[in-house]
Amino acid sequence: MKYPLHYYGDPILREKTVPVAEVTDEIRALSDDMIETLHSENGIGLAAPQIGRRESLCVVYVPGEYDVDEEGHRLNPDAAMPMVLINPEITEPSDIQAARDEGCLSIPDIYAEVVRPYEIRVRYLDREGVSRDERYRGLVARVIQHEVDHLNGILFIDRISHVKKIALRGRLKRLRRETEERFKPA
Ligand SMILES: [Zn+2]
């Protein structure tokens, strides 16, 4: 089942999610629906608040051709896509940082450069409830950081330069107003 997206201005995007107590069939079904929603939006990552849910759960789908360095070598050959990350916790962010444009399915048509650690270690439960502790780098690491931010009520526009934020202020305001209009009781 495909879920409708929640957009910038929706208060749920600013709430902190709740850890999943147990990976049940219901959680697996939610994960599958989130993957379906992600694919239908042609996205590379989706977090539960973006579909109006409060579970600490996100999904990532970075196609192999994007998971490469400048020479075309795979960065995370062992990362099986799509990934389901339940209760993810990032540890050991690398001192090496990387800058890259980001966008967000909940903030359509807005892109801006975000500087993030190039490599991370992340502890999480997978779709089967198996505990994992892995390292990721490059775009996969970036998407995981973007999604874990969502689980903490943080959006990528919180991490962009002050100058860029000022430049985008009008468009963000308009988007927020559109979202609020949709919520107004008729
Ligand atoms: Zn996002």
Side-chain angles (χ1 to χ4, degrees), residues 45-47 50 102-107 146-147 150 154-156:
L46 183 72
Q50 295 181 275
E102 288 188 23
C104 179
L105 292 175
S106 295
I107 312 176
H146 178 119
E147 301 315 324
H150 271 301
I154 299 165
L155 302 173
F156 85 93

Side-chain angles (χ1 to χ4, degrees), residues 1-70:
M1 187 189 93
K2 182 187 174 303
Y3 277 86
L5 292 178
H6 287 239
Y7 294 100
Y8 179 66
D10 187 325
I12 198 165
L13 295 179
R14 289 309 192 176
E15 285 173 28
K16 209 170 151 32
T17 51
V18 179
V20 172
E22 195 191 343
V23 181
T24 57
D25 284 345
E26 196 195 347
I27 290 293
R28 271 185 278 278
L30 174 62
S31 308
D32 295 345
D33 286 343
M34 284 177 62
I35 290 166
E36 191 183 333
T37 306
L38 178 66
H39 286 320
S40 77
E41 300 287 345
N42 293 313
I44 55 176
L46 183 72
Q50 295 181 275
I51 57 157
R53 301 283 300 225
R54 289 182 167 81
E55 289 88 348
S56 177
L57 196 170
C58 59
V59 296
V60 170
Y61 180 76
V62 175
E65 64 261 39
Y66 295 126
D67 179 37
V68 289
D69 62 15
E70 288 87 24

